[in-house]
Amino acid sequence: QLQASGGGLVQAGGSLRLSCQISGRIFSSYVMGWFRQAPGKEREFVTAIDWSGRTVYVDSVKGRFTISRDNAKNTVYLQMNSLKPEDTAVYVCAADRSRFQSYYNVMDYYGEGTLVTVSS
């Protein structure tokens, strides 16, 4: 199971940190990622991290978002800085059993999302 938390309302330029608590059948060897879905839009891949800490980001968040994981705590984090109104979305934590990739259209497991709203 994957449980995301940490969303909320923030002004443009502000920061938020999302957390994803991992439990059940999700193992530390899995690739962990974040997707987001803005109102009226399709879900989009944001970032992923493998067990060793290797990361990948979509261009729109590079330099502003940082994904990290603490395998001992079974938790994945998404630090979001310099937030923009276009970052407004429901952010969903995900996990994948396959080898690390440069981009993910889908992952094997998804959790409940947490809403991030960035005001202008």
Side-chain angles (χ1 to χ4, degrees):
Q1 291 183 344
L2 303 168
Q3 182 63 53
S5 61
L9 174 64
V10 63
Q11 289 188 333
S15 298
L16 279 176
R17 189 177 81 155
L18 306 183
S19 298
C20 175
Q21 184 65 48
I22 306 163
S23 62
R25 300 172 55 189
I26 308 299
F27 299 102
S28 60
S29 60
Y30 284 23
V31 173
M32 302 300 301
W34 290 93
F35 288 74
R36 66 185 180 186
Q37 186 165 16
K41 295 186 177 181
E42 294 186 352
R43 184 176 61 199
E44 67 168 343
F45 171 71
V46 177
T47 180
I49 185 170
D50 75 356
W51 65 273
S52 70
R54 181 170 45 173
T55 59
V56 63
Y57 301 90
V58 292
D59 288 345
S60 59
V61 307
K62 281 181 180 177
R64 300 189 298 120
F65 289 13
T66 302
I67 188 172
S68 60
R69 66 191 293 170
D70 185 334
N71 290 331
K73 295 183 178 179
N74 291 328
T75 304
V76 176
Y77 304 98
L78 182 62
Q79 178 66 45
M80 304 185 296
N81 298 329
S82 302
L83 282 162
K84 304 175 181 179
E86 51 263 44
D87 294 318
T88 295
V90 174
Y91 284 73
V92 178
C93 181
D96 198 81
R97 296 168 294 180
S98 65
R99 62 181 179 87
F100 191 72
Q101 303 173 44
S102 60
Y103 185 84
Y104 290 85
N105 287 307
V106 295
M107 284 191 169
D108 294 322
Y109 303 100
Y110 296 90
E112 296 293 329
T114 185
L115 177 62
V116 172
T117 303
V118 185
S119 63
S120 57

